[in-house]
Amino acid sequence: MSTLDDKINEHFAGFVVRKDLVKAVKGNAIVPTYVLEYLLGQYCATDDEASIATGIETVKDILRKHYVHRSEAGLVQSTIKERGRYKVIDQVSVALNEKTDAYEAVFENLGIKRVAIDSATVKAHPKLLVTGIWCIADVQYEFSEDSRISPWIIDTLKPIQIARVDYDAYRETRDKFTTEEWIDLLMQSIGFDPTLFGRRSKLLQLLRLVPFVERNYNLIELGPKGTGKSHVYSEFSPHGQLISGGEITVPKLFVNNSNGRIGLVGYWDVVAFDEFAGREKTANKALVDIMKNYMANKQFSRGVNPMGAEASFAFVGNTDHNVPWMLKNSDLFEALPPQFHDSAFIDRLHAYLPGWEVDIIRGEMFTSGYGFIVDYLAEILRHLRQEDFSHRPDLHFKISEKISTRDRDAIYKTMSGLLKLIFPNGGETAEDVEELLRLAMESRKRVKDQLARIDSTYPEVDFYYLGSDGTKRRVTTVEEEEYPQFYYLKPALDPKEQEQTETSTDGGDAASDAGGAGSASGTAAEPILAAKTDVKPALEEGHHVFTEDRKGISYDRLFGPYIAGASKIIVTDPYVRFFYQIRNMMEFVEMVIRRKSPEDQISVHLVTGPDDGNVAKQRELLDSIADACVGSGVAFTWAFDGTGTAHARDIVTDTGWKIVLDRGLDIFQAPIRKDGFSLGDRLQEHRVIKGFYVTYVRNGEG
């Protein structure tokens, strides 16, 4: 076990489970994760290997004996008849039979209907009246000569939910963990290995949980297939309901006029719409209108009296095109059905989670560490819905007064949700708040910027906040930084206006106005110089911040124009030690070779620090770069820093430029190891970056 796993078991004994055990017990049982973890929590909530092994066998035995497979329904029915009573694990729903004035249950897998269930059980678990609930039930069989009486009777029924949650203890125990440890614990609770995710990637995963902790929160996530968009809503919590976006009706979602029964929004914390995207899909106009009213006012009406509810909405769907295509030709909502590609609907979304930043889920990304039993965490998140953390950021920062009330409310709700997840007991620093505030503002800005493209009546909004020192700190989206040549286009304009927009966007003012997403100081965004390689850039001094998790960055784009014409380049980076760091150095040299004229002679010298663990291997790899350069016109040399005190990370040329880097050449996230091929292994532009900054300084006449 890792140090974090030891700490988790020490402070949350009995409420955590080893996440890889779910696969070990699942077999061919088609049940949600929270059902399996409920059982594992009864028998395997420990770090004792012998107890875990015994518990796994117990859970497997329970599933083998009591989980009902559809193919074995007849056998289980026979068992109930012969024994008179038998315990089953199945999905159960209930309806009122108005002819007999009695409640009747349906067992989905067992295939039996009209099962008698008492009123007290239904009152205790009203969700049974809306949709299927996974339950453990004792079912009896008592034959009657009266054909009107069903022989099936429920003796006891218990929805699969954890019995007791001590919220105060949970909140106080949070203080035993650092912020990074707590985020990793939440990541492991979702089922992912946090070591394979960058900081921003982790926060995007946690953003998917905000609908569970915030009432009436509207989140949309559009992106490529296979990124796990719907997983958290179908597997993670018994308080969330995942439905097909194309199959929902007004009576099922809101209220049935024939009997006055409220729909899903009245019983579930989160209603998620799967496969929501699709230009060919159609939606009922009445449904769209009532959804818009509910998303804005928390109320809906189908008759005289308005009704209120607290369910949050999550919309997930696949995009048909990549981000630059959408920005150039349409907008980031282009995949939505026409009835939902509507400015009034889109404006009611509090956050747009960029699904294209989430990596495709692969087997090696899942954790074998410990995380909360998901049902336990689900109850905690449900309790947190009662609280409001939205104005905590006001202690440190002030959001621009130019931002509208609807935008401000969206930002505050996202902030509140993230703070509940990461800082349920308070204690966040100004730096913590700023990191989350930038993400919350970016998530709403993504919605608002696209609205300005879709509907010309929506003005462009300057998203910024003020620091405690009064400095203005602007917020940009990652795709705004990555594709500025497309981001500022207005697809609705005629060709002449479009051409003018493109021209102004390519200029230096657009680059400097882009802001620094991910920057604490609100400095200028990256230079536009490499957005179009056929335009020779004007080299300027400046400080540029690059946001974690974006792509499209390469050494050629960052350094190429500034090393052009140099005959001597000195790279100082004390941490060119491990294989991947030395590979970065080799790729820098390759970039120099590609850019130089055949007749030019250039020297590249590296100053670094020794790898105390394996300096012989380090020397061998660095010497291999020098050997590889023979005959290329580039002479590579290297040396260890003689003083042993160098911490600088910069690139200096004899043309008068100094490039300062906080991470040196180590700007790319480690790839997830797997067999086969990856564009990221071959092309730097297709790698995901870490967050970093670059400062260009004139270092002489040159």
Side-chain angles (χ1 to χ4, degrees), residues 58-79:
T58 302
V59 173
K60 284 183 175 179
D61 190 54
I62 290 172
L63 288 172
R64 185 166 52 249
K65 291 181 178 178
H66 303 292
Y67 170 73
V68 181
H69 293 270
R70 292 178 189 271
S71 59
E72 299 176 351
L75 176 61
V76 177
Q77 290 179 24
S78 175
T79 302

Side-chain angles (χ1 to χ4, degrees), residues 453 476 480 483-490 501 505 510 513-514:
R453 295 166 70 96
T476 58
E480 182 176 357
Y483 307 107
Q485 69 272 40
F486 302 134
Y487 195 84
Y488 305 104
L489 299 183
K490 301 293 184 185
T501 304
T505 300
D513 286 346

